Amino acid sequence: MDTRRILICTDGSRASLAAARAAIDLAAGWKSEVRAVYVVETADADGKPAPEMIERMREGGRAILNRIAQMGDAKSVKVVQALLEGVPFEAILNDARGWKADLIVMGRTGRTGPGRALLGSEAERVLEFTERPVLIVPTIETIAP
């Protein structure tokens, strides 16, 4: 598999930061381009959040993307950051297509046991609707900056 472009999907959770670390390690070895995306959900079941809430989500997303870029810097991997808006799995799929990602990397929520989902709903939807390879990374207990 030719993996020149790795798309990291993050929401700032421990699982997504573990996935970012794994993706950066792979990119360092493979000399791949890396793009990290954070999606601000601009509509939910109750409608559109207030503008000030959306701006707080954007600020949080930028901070998370900066943290991932710092992880990349530590491994000499340049991470291009993208703050997207919309329905998360749709924004991820559109970005992966548009950027021509060879691999999508996401975290697993870490929930286990009978009757519990192994993946978050966004990861499940990305897996269901993408034609690209997806690497799901389990949560690692300690994430170093």
Side-chain angles (χ1 to χ4, degrees), residues 58-138:
R58 286 179 186 139
E59 289 172 12
R62 284 189 285 270
I64 292 162
L65 290 170
N66 285 334
R67 182 171 180 192
I68 292 172
Q70 290 170 352
M71 288 179 187
D73 289 344
K75 297 278 186 166
S76 299
V77 172
K78 182 181 178 200
V79 176
V80 174
Q81 302 174 38
L83 186 67
L84 310 175
E85 295 189 7
V87 177
F89 85 94
E90 290 175 353
I92 290 165
L93 293 172
N94 289 336
D95 198 71
R97 257 185 244 108
W99 189 60
K100 296 183 172 69
D102 296 311
L103 178 66
I104 300 170
V105 180
M106 303 180 78
R108 186 182 78 193
T109 61
R111 294 178 289 165
T112 59
R116 294 180 141 189
L118 292 175
L119 302 174
S121 60
E122 300 308 324
E124 287 180 21
R125 289 184 181 120
V126 168
L127 281 169
E128 182 177 353
F129 295 107
T130 191
E131 66 284 352
R132 289 166 165 63
V134 179
L135 173 62
I136 302 295
V137 179

Side-chain angles (χ1 to χ4, degrees), residues 6 8 17-28 71 105 135 137 140:
I6 300 174
I8 299 171
L17 293 174
R21 177 153 323 281
I24 289 167
D25 286 346
L26 290 173
M71 288 179 187
V105 180
L135 173 62
V137 179
I140 298 171

